[in-house]
Amino acid sequence: MSETETGTARETAAHDTVEAAVRAQLTKALGGVRGMVEAAVPTIAFTGTYVAAKDVKLAVGAGVGAAVVLLLVRIAQRSSPQFVLNSLIGIAIAAFFALRSGKAENAFLPGIMLNAGYAAAMIFSIVVRWPVVGFIIGSVTGDPTAWRADPGIVRLCSRLTWLLVLPCAARVAVQYPIYLADGDQSGLLGTAKIAMGWPLQVAALAAMVWLLTRGHTPITPGATAENKEPA
């Protein structure tokens, strides 16, 4: 067994149930409460300023300013700035679409497209029995596929992935018709983006925590990277 596989087996063995193992790994992969806040704050600053002033440049300044403050705190603490940088990329793409087209509504189009893409990809991953949440776990343990050795973990990851699909699908279902409507819909789109962003994500994660706390699926003995069936 390789060193990576040994580490994966050790982390899984440290928990009595599938739910306990997955809950521990999701907490690390999602960055905890702080990581989620850092991912949301710059986007909320950008969108809120855009709705109030309808000025892309000012909104970009607000979003970038919030991200820079969070980034400086991370640098001072010598910790990972991953979630702050993710928000900066999103703000840059939204600003590019709006400035290039000259239409305020287009600042929100990338987010709608991204949510549609996420939903489609996650549903596909569930159908082919490689649910996305499993790879979140794998990214933490260092082995992207060891989790598939345990059928209980695969089933649980499928349920958890559905909980991530729902917010993405809801955003597209609500925001895309608004985007297609006549007239300047930037204010309504911005409000919908804020209302369906952080709150929906928190609701989805709360449902995931509830599911993980509720279940008590035993970890299959020997179902580690060591005993995976060959492809």
Side-chain angles (χ1 to χ4, degrees):
M1 183 187 293
S2 69
E3 187 174 323
T4 298
E5 290 171 335
T6 301
T8 301
R10 190 182 300 116
E11 289 198 31
T12 303
H15 304 282
D16 296 329
T17 65
V18 170
E19 287 77 12
V22 174
R23 186 165 62 248
Q25 301 307 333
L26 278 174
T27 299
K28 294 179 183 178
L30 295 174
V33 174
R34 181 177 179 179
M36 291 185 289
V37 169
E38 288 176 337
V41 168
T43 301
I44 291 174
F46 169 76
T47 306
T49 304
Y50 191 83
V51 170
K54 294 187 178 179
D55 186 326
V56 174
K57 293 181 179 179
L58 183 61
V60 169
V64 171
V68 167
V69 171
L70 293 172
L71 184 61
L72 289 174
V73 172
R74 280 286 189 177
I75 292 173
Q77 296 177 341
R78 297 184 179 180
S79 55
S80 173
Q82 173 188 346
F83 299 99
V84 178
L85 293 175
N86 288 345
S87 292
L88 277 172
I89 293 171
I91 291 170
I93 294 173
F96 173 78
F97 269 67
L99 290 172
R100 185 175 182 182
S101 67
K103 294 182 178 180
E105 294 92 335
N106 284 347
F108 303 97
L109 183 58
I112 296 171
M113 294 170 62
L114 190 62
N115 276 281
Y118 279 155
M122 286 189 286
I123 291 172
F124 178 77
S125 77
I126 294 169
V127 170
V128 298
R129 295 187 59 77
W130 284 84
V132 165
V133 170
F135 291 101
I136 294 177
I137 298 166
S139 70
V140 175
T141 62
D143 189 330
T145 60
W147 55 273
R148 291 202 82 243
D150 191 318
I153 292 181
V154 175
R155 288 192 297 272
L156 180 62
C157 287
S158 293
R159 297 189 190 104
L160 292 170
T161 302
W162 274 118
L163 291 175
L164 292 179
V165 169
L166 292 176
C168 294
R171 290 174 191 132
V172 175
V174 172
Q175 295 174 27
Y176 190 57
I178 297 175
Y179 172 78
L180 294 177
D182 294 332
D184 183 0
Q185 301 295 331
S186 58
L188 189 55
L189 278 170
T191 301
K193 184 178 178 68
I194 293 174
M196 303 185 77
W198 177 242
L200 275 188
Q201 199 64 32
V202 169
L205 292 174
M208 293 170 77
V209 170
W210 173 81
L211 179 62
L212 291 168
T213 303
R214 178 173 173 268
H216 300 284
T217 308
I219 293 178
T220 303
T224 63
E226 184 177 32
N227 297 316
K228 285 192 297 183
E229 294 180 5

mmCIF file of all heavy atoms in Angstrom, residues 127-153:
data_model
loop_
_atom_site.group_PDB
_atom_site.id
_atom_site.type_symbol
_atom_site.label_atom_id
_atom_site.label_comp_id
_atom_site.label_asym_id
_atom_site.label_seq_id
_atom_site.Cartn_x
_atom_site.Cartn_y
_atom_site.Cartn_z
ATOM 1 N N VAL A 127 -25.589 10.143 -11.891
ATOM 2 C CA VAL A 127 -26.093 9.108 -12.798
ATOM 3 C C VAL A 127 -25.036 8.043 -13.075
ATOM 4 O O VAL A 127 -25.333 6.848 -13.114
ATOM 5 C CB VAL A 127 -26.575 9.740 -14.126
ATOM 6 C CG1 VAL A 127 -26.868 8.664 -15.168
ATOM 7 C CG2 VAL A 127 -27.819 10.593 -13.899
ATOM 8 N N VAL A 128 -23.780 8.466 -13.247
ATOM 9 C CA VAL A 128 -22.707 7.508 -13.554
ATOM 10 C C VAL A 128 -22.053 6.960 -12.275
ATOM 11 O O VAL A 128 -21.055 6.254 -12.351
ATOM 12 C CB VAL A 128 -21.635 8.146 -14.468
ATOM 13 C CG1 VAL A 128 -22.253 8.561 -15.797
ATOM 14 C CG2 VAL A 128 -20.947 9.331 -13.798
ATOM 15 N N ARG A 129 -22.622 7.308 -11.115
ATOM 16 C CA ARG A 129 -22.159 6.789 -9.823
ATOM 17 C C ARG A 129 -20.741 7.242 -9.464
ATOM 18 O O ARG A 129 -19.964 6.512 -8.864
ATOM 19 C CB ARG A 129 -22.275 5.261 -9.768
ATOM 20 C CG ARG A 129 -23.703 4.766 -9.842
ATOM 21 C CD ARG A 129 -23.814 3.260 -9.615
ATOM 22 N NE ARG A 129 -23.276 2.861 -8.324
ATOM 23 C CZ ARG A 129 -23.900 3.015 -7.155
ATOM 24 N NH1 ARG A 129 -25.086 3.588 -7.120
ATOM 25 N NH2 ARG A 129 -23.337 2.604 -6.027
ATOM 26 N N TRP A 130 -20.410 8.463 -9.874
ATOM 27 C CA TRP A 130 -19.178 9.121 -9.433
ATOM 28 C C TRP A 130 -19.561 10.495 -8.866
ATOM 29 O O TRP A 130 -19.117 11.528 -9.364
ATOM 30 C CB TRP A 130 -18.205 9.297 -10.605
ATOM 31 C CG TRP A 130 -17.503 8.042 -11.010
ATOM 32 C CD1 TRP A 130 -17.954 7.067 -11.849
ATOM 33 C CD2 TRP A 130 -16.196 7.628 -10.590
ATOM 34 N NE1 TRP A 130 -17.026 6.078 -11.982
ATOM 35 C CE2 TRP A 130 -15.921 6.383 -11.228
ATOM 36 C CE3 TRP A 130 -15.231 8.180 -9.736
ATOM 37 C CZ2 TRP A 130 -14.729 5.694 -11.035
ATOM 38 C CZ3 TRP A 130 -14.047 7.494 -9.551
ATOM 39 C CH2 TRP A 130 -13.800 6.267 -10.193
ATOM 40 N N PRO A 131 -20.398 10.524 -7.810
ATOM 41 C CA PRO A 131 -20.903 11.802 -7.294
ATOM 42 C C PRO A 131 -19.788 12.771 -6.898
ATOM 43 O O PRO A 131 -18.773 12.380 -6.334
ATOM 44 C CB PRO A 131 -21.736 11.386 -6.066
ATOM 45 C CG PRO A 131 -21.236 10.027 -5.705
ATOM 46 C CD PRO A 131 -20.823 9.385 -6.989
ATOM 47 N N VAL A 132 -20.037 14.031 -7.201
ATOM 48 C CA VAL A 132 -19.036 15.078 -7.005
ATOM 49 C C VAL A 132 -18.538 15.164 -5.574
ATOM 50 O O VAL A 132 -17.351 15.392 -5.334
ATOM 51 C CB VAL A 132 -19.615 16.439 -7.454
ATOM 52 C CG1 VAL A 132 -18.770 17.596 -6.937
ATOM 53 C CG2 VAL A 132 -19.712 16.495 -8.972
ATOM 54 N N VAL A 133 -19.418 14.992 -4.601
ATOM 55 C CA VAL A 133 -19.007 15.103 -3.202
ATOM 56 C C VAL A 133 -17.901 14.103 -2.876
ATOM 57 O O VAL A 133 -17.032 14.370 -2.047
ATOM 58 C CB VAL A 133 -20.207 14.919 -2.257
ATOM 59 C CG1 VAL A 133 -19.751 14.776 -0.807
ATOM 60 C CG2 VAL A 133 -21.156 16.109 -2.372
ATOM 61 N N GLY A 134 -17.897 12.965 -3.533
ATOM 62 C CA GLY A 134 -16.828 11.992 -3.315
ATOM 63 C C GLY A 134 -15.464 12.569 -3.651
ATOM 64 O O GLY A 134 -14.474 12.312 -2.956
ATOM 65 N N PHE A 135 -15.406 13.385 -4.706
ATOM 66 C CA PHE A 135 -14.130 13.984 -5.090
ATOM 67 C C PHE A 135 -13.715 15.087 -4.127
ATOM 68 O O PHE A 135 -12.526 15.376 -3.974
ATOM 69 C CB PHE A 135 -14.215 14.523 -6.521
ATOM 70 C CG PHE A 135 -14.318 13.437 -7.547
ATOM 71 C CD1 PHE A 135 -15.534 13.107 -8.111
ATOM 72 C CD2 PHE A 135 -13.196 12.716 -7.927
ATOM 73 C CE1 PHE A 135 -15.634 12.082 -9.042
ATOM 74 C CE2 PHE A 135 -13.275 11.697 -8.863
ATOM 75 C CZ PHE A 135 -14.502 11.375 -9.425
ATOM 76 N N ILE A 136 -14.704 15.718 -3.493
ATOM 77 C CA ILE A 136 -14.373 16.694 -2.446
ATOM 78 C C ILE A 136 -13.639 15.985 -1.320
ATOM 79 O O ILE A 136 -12.639 16.475 -0.794
ATOM 80 C CB ILE A 136 -15.653 17.376 -1.913
ATOM 81 C CG1 ILE A 136 -16.300 18.218 -3.011
ATOM 82 C CG2 ILE A 136 -15.333 18.239 -0.697
ATOM 83 C CD1 ILE A 136 -17.613 18.862 -2.601
ATOM 84 N N ILE A 137 -14.147 14.812 -0.960
ATOM 85 C CA ILE A 137 -13.495 14.017 0.076
ATOM 86 C C ILE A 137 -12.110 13.585 -0.388
ATOM 87 O O ILE A 137 -11.125 13.682 0.336
ATOM 88 C CB ILE A 137 -14.345 12.778 0.414
ATOM 89 C CG1 ILE A 137 -15.700 13.207 0.959
ATOM 90 C CG2 ILE A 137 -13.624 11.881 1.424
ATOM 91 C CD1 ILE A 137 -16.717 12.090 1.012
ATOM 92 N N GLY A 138 -12.032 13.109 -1.630
ATOM 93 C CA GLY A 138 -10.756 12.661 -2.174
ATOM 94 C C GLY A 138 -9.717 13.755 -2.229
ATOM 95 O O GLY A 138 -8.522 13.507 -2.019
ATOM 96 N N SER A 139 -10.160 14.998 -2.490
ATOM 97 C CA SER A 139 -9.204 16.107 -2.562
ATOM 98 C C SER A 139 -8.574 16.387 -1.209
ATOM 99 O O SER A 139 -7.468 16.927 -1.120
ATOM 100 C CB SER A 139 -9.906 17.375 -3.076
ATOM 101 O OG SER A 139 -10.816 17.880 -2.107
ATOM 102 N N VAL A 140 -9.276 16.035 -0.148
ATOM 103 C CA VAL A 140 -8.753 16.244 1.204
ATOM 104 C C VAL A 140 -7.837 15.097 1.617
ATOM 105 O O VAL A 140 -6.776 15.298 2.199
ATOM 106 C CB VAL A 140 -9.914 16.393 2.212
ATOM 107 C CG1 VAL A 140 -9.370 16.487 3.628
ATOM 108 C CG2 VAL A 140 -10.746 17.622 1.878
ATOM 109 N N THR A 141 -8.266 13.856 1.316
ATOM 110 C CA THR A 141 -7.495 12.697 1.748
ATOM 111 C C THR A 141 -6.257 12.458 0.899
ATOM 112 O O THR A 141 -5.335 11.762 1.307
ATOM 113 C CB THR A 141 -8.356 11.430 1.708
ATOM 114 O OG1 THR A 141 -8.783 11.183 0.362
ATOM 115 C CG2 THR A 141 -9.584 11.568 2.602
ATOM 116 N N GLY A 142 -6.242 13.016 -0.329
ATOM 117 C CA GLY A 142 -5.090 12.825 -1.205
ATOM 118 C C GLY A 142 -5.275 11.714 -2.215
ATOM 119 O O GLY A 142 -4.455 11.548 -3.120
ATOM 120 N N ASP A 143 -6.362 10.952 -2.133
ATOM 121 C CA ASP A 143 -6.665 9.901 -3.103
ATOM 122 C C ASP A 143 -8.047 10.180 -3.669
ATOM 123 O O ASP A 143 -9.045 10.024 -2.966
ATOM 124 C CB ASP A 143 -6.630 8.523 -2.438
ATOM 125 C CG ASP A 143 -6.729 7.380 -3.444
ATOM 126 O OD1 ASP A 143 -7.374 7.577 -4.500
ATOM 127 O OD2 ASP A 143 -6.177 6.300 -3.182
ATOM 128 N N PRO A 144 -8.165 10.600 -4.936
ATOM 129 C CA PRO A 144 -9.445 11.030 -5.487
ATOM 130 C C PRO A 144 -10.473 9.927 -5.687
ATOM 131 O O PRO A 144 -11.645 10.211 -5.912
ATOM 132 C CB PRO A 144 -9.052 11.661 -6.830
ATOM 133 C CG PRO A 144 -7.773 11.003 -7.194
ATOM 134 C CD PRO A 144 -7.057 10.767 -5.896
ATOM 135 N N THR A 145 -10.060 8.652 -5.632
ATOM 136 C CA THR A 145 -11.006 7.569 -5.930
ATOM 137 C C THR A 145 -11.144 6.514 -4.830
ATOM 138 O O THR A 145 -11.964 5.606 -4.953
ATOM 139 C CB THR A 145 -10.600 6.847 -7.229
ATOM 140 O OG1 THR A 145 -9.287 6.288 -7.067
ATOM 141 C CG2 THR A 145 -10.604 7.798 -8.411
ATOM 142 N N ALA A 146 -10.382 6.597 -3.747
ATOM 143 C CA ALA A 146 -10.435 5.565 -2.711
ATOM 144 C C ALA A 146 -11.824 5.435 -2.095
ATOM 145 O O ALA A 146 -12.232 4.338 -1.697
ATOM 146 C CB ALA A 146 -9.409 5.870 -1.625
ATOM 147 N N TRP A 147 -12.591 6.525 -2.023
ATOM 148 C CA TRP A 147 -13.926 6.511 -1.427
ATOM 149 C C TRP A 147 -14.884 5.583 -2.158
ATOM 150 O O TRP A 147 -15.845 5.083 -1.569
ATOM 151 C CB TRP A 147 -14.505 7.926 -1.398
ATOM 152 C CG TRP A 147 -14.522 8.602 -2.744
ATOM 153 C CD1 TRP A 147 -13.496 9.321 -3.291
ATOM 154 C CD2 TRP A 147 -15.584 8.607 -3.701
ATOM 155 N NE1 TRP A 147 -13.859 9.781 -4.541
ATOM 156 C CE2 TRP A 147 -15.127 9.349 -4.818
ATOM 157 C CE3 TRP A 147 -16.856 8.055 -3.736
ATOM 158 C CZ2 TRP A 147 -15.903 9.566 -5.944
ATOM 159 C CZ3 TRP A 147 -17.653 8.264 -4.861
ATOM 160 C CH2 TRP A 147 -17.174 9.010 -5.948
ATOM 161 N N ARG A 148 -14.625 5.280 -3.442
ATOM 162 C CA ARG A 148 -15.536 4.418 -4.210
ATOM 163 C C ARG A 148 -15.449 2.960 -3.780
ATOM 164 O O ARG A 148 -16.289 2.133 -4.173
ATOM 165 C CB ARG A 148 -15.233 4.519 -5.705
ATOM 166 C CG ARG A 148 -15.586 5.853 -6.311
ATOM 167 C CD ARG A 148 -15.783 5.778 -7.814
ATOM 168 N NE ARG A 148 -17.111 5.313 -8.165
ATOM 169 C CZ ARG A 148 -17.370 4.190 -8.818
ATOM 170 N NH1 ARG A 148 -16.387 3.380 -9.160
ATOM 171 N NH2 ARG A 148 -18.612 3.867 -9.126
ATOM 172 N N ALA A 149 -14.453 2.610 -2.977
ATOM 173 C CA ALA A 149 -14.323 1.227 -2.517
ATOM 174 C C ALA A 149 -15.433 0.849 -1.533
ATOM 175 O O ALA A 149 -15.705 -0.333 -1.334
ATOM 176 C CB ALA A 149 -12.959 1.017 -1.865
ATOM 177 N N ASP A 150 -16.076 1.849 -0.920
ATOM 178 C CA ASP A 150 -17.133 1.581 0.053
ATOM 179 C C ASP A 150 -18.486 1.989 -0.536
ATOM 180 O O ASP A 150 -18.745 3.176 -0.746
ATOM 181 C CB ASP A 150 -16.868 2.356 1.344
ATOM 182 C CG ASP A 150 -17.776 1.918 2.486
ATOM 183 O OD1 ASP A 150 -18.976 1.700 2.239
ATOM 184 O OD2 ASP A 150 -17.268 1.784 3.607
ATOM 185 N N PRO A 151 -19.383 1.021 -0.824
ATOM 186 C CA PRO A 151 -20.696 1.339 -1.404
ATOM 187 C C PRO A 151 -21.511 2.290 -0.539
ATOM 188 O O PRO A 151 -22.276 3.108 -1.061
ATOM 189 C CB PRO A 151 -21.378 -0.036 -1.500
ATOM 190 C CG PRO A 151 -20.260 -1.021 -1.531
ATOM 191 C CD PRO A 151 -19.191 -0.432 -0.666
ATOM 192 N N GLY A 152 -21.337 2.195 0.789
ATOM 193 C CA GLY A 152 -22.061 3.094 1.680
ATOM 194 C C GLY A 152 -21.669 4.539 1.470
ATOM 195 O O GLY A 152 -22.515 5.438 1.473
ATOM 196 N N ILE A 153 -20.381 4.776 1.263
ATOM 197 C CA ILE A 153 -19.905 6.139 1.022
ATOM 198 C C ILE A 153 -20.396 6.646 -0.332
ATOM 199 O O ILE A 153 -20.780 7.809 -0.472
ATOM 200 C CB ILE A 153 -18.367 6.197 1.101
ATOM 201 C CG1 ILE A 153 -17.910 5.938 2.541
ATOM 202 C CG2 ILE A 153 -17.846 7.556 0.644
ATOM 203 C CD1 ILE A 153 -16.411 6.006 2.739
#
